[in-house]
Amino acid sequence: MKVATLTVSQSAESSVTVRGIADAADLQAFAEAVSTGASISRYMVDGSVVLLSDIDASTLTDWTPIGNRTHPFTGTFDGRGHCVSGLNLSCDASVSADNGFFGVISSATIKNLVLGRDGDVIRVTGTSAGPANAGGVCAAATSSSFLAVQNRLTLEYMSEGASGRELCLGGICGKADKVIFQNCRNYADVLCPLKALAGGFAGSASGSVSSCAAYGTPSFAASAPESASAERCVVCVGLKHRLCTSF
């Protein structure tokens, strides 16, 4: 008697891994991968980390900023015009001195990203052991670019430790060194009871800025500009409804 043999093969569709960040779980896993130096290829399309859709991040609470001083984010993050919203994030300055949606980036590009809706907030508490930076979008950036980024994620910095020139706070970026800002908008507030280098757009910055504006309100004890560049950044880009074309 001849026995028929049935061969079952896995379909091509089921074996394909969808690359990119599709939801809040992916976003958190990506942040943790960057900050531990693990592979992020799972989230990349054509060499860039991409958002695949708008993301409701209301399930996220304790947040690991994307990148730190040991493992900065060094690639391209393309939001593709999508929005990450529902954010109510908490960061501990005793764990990391650089807090924001992104922590530390270097030789990176953040583009086409809409971060937050009205009422979204990131809170920084704890005590930093040394100089600290915080921003709605990014805490500290070096030799990087922000292109077509909109931010509505309010920064509430309630940490102790760093203050004055050792504390840089901004709606888009806290401390920016050799950074390009282009077509960016900040609609969020920057709140801090301490003296700080702080502004509605950036706290301390060098580089270039074009077609950018800040509409949020920075609220802090006093600005402590360490240079003419930083002072112009605080005054020019920190005020409401002010369009700044250069630092």
Side-chain angles (χ1 to χ4, degrees):
M1 181 190 245
K2 205 179 219 181
V3 179
T5 302
L6 177 64
T7 301
V8 179
S9 61
Q10 185 180 29
S11 70
E13 183 178 354
S14 63
S15 64
V16 172
T17 298
V18 177
R19 295 183 178 274
I21 297 173
D23 53 28
D26 280 349
L27 184 62
Q28 187 168 44
F30 164 69
E32 292 173 354
V34 173
S35 297
T36 57
S39 173
I40 58 172
S41 60
R42 153 75 177 80
Y43 309 102
M44 300 178 73
V45 176
D46 296 330
S48 299
V49 175
V50 299
L51 294 186
L52 300 178
S53 62
D54 290 349
I55 292 179
D56 177 2
S58 58
T59 58
L60 303 180
T61 52
D62 293 338
W63 178 243
T64 300
I66 303 168
N68 52 44
R69 296 180 189 184
T70 303
H71 300 291
F73 177 69
T74 58
T76 296
F77 186 100
D78 186 355
R80 292 182 169 180
H82 294 302
C83 178
V84 180
S85 62
L87 295 162
N88 188 0
L89 307 178
S90 297
C91 298
D92 187 346
S94 66
V95 176
S96 174
D98 303 290
N99 290 288
F101 185 73
F102 287 86
V104 180
I105 68 173
S106 179
S107 301
T109 297
I110 312 300
K111 65 180 183 178
N112 306 321
L113 175 64
V114 180
L115 186 61
R117 300 289 191 196
D118 289 344
D120 286 4
V121 63
I122 181 168
R123 296 180 181 86
V124 183
T125 58
T127 302
S128 63
N133 308 294
V137 179
C138 181
T142 302
S143 302
S144 297
S145 299
F146 295 87
L147 311 175
V149 173
Q150 293 185 34
N151 179 54
R152 294 183 185 272
L153 180 62
T154 288
L155 171 63
E156 292 185 4
Y157 194 89
M158 304 302 167
S159 171
E160 299 178 352
S163 65
R165 292 187 177 130
E166 291 191 336
L167 178 59
C168 297
L169 309 174
I172 299 290
C173 187
K175 185 174 184 178
D177 182 23
K178 300 176 183 176
V179 170
I180 295 171
F181 296 94
Q182 189 173 65
N183 296 320
C184 295
R185 297 289 186 273
N186 178 58
Y187 298 93
D189 297 336
V190 178
L191 309 175
C192 177
L194 306 172
K195 291 183 178 180
L197 284 166
F201 196 81
S204 174
S206 66
S208 65
V209 55
S210 61
S211 301
C212 294
Y215 299 94
T217 302
S219 175
F220 42 90
S223 61
E226 61 186 359
S227 66
S229 175
E231 184 173 8
R232 282 196 295 272
C233 178
V234 170
V235 174
C236 181
V237 196
L239 297 179
K240 295 182 71 174
H241 305 283
R242 181 67 65 88
L243 181 67
C244 193
T245 57
S246 63
F247 285 130

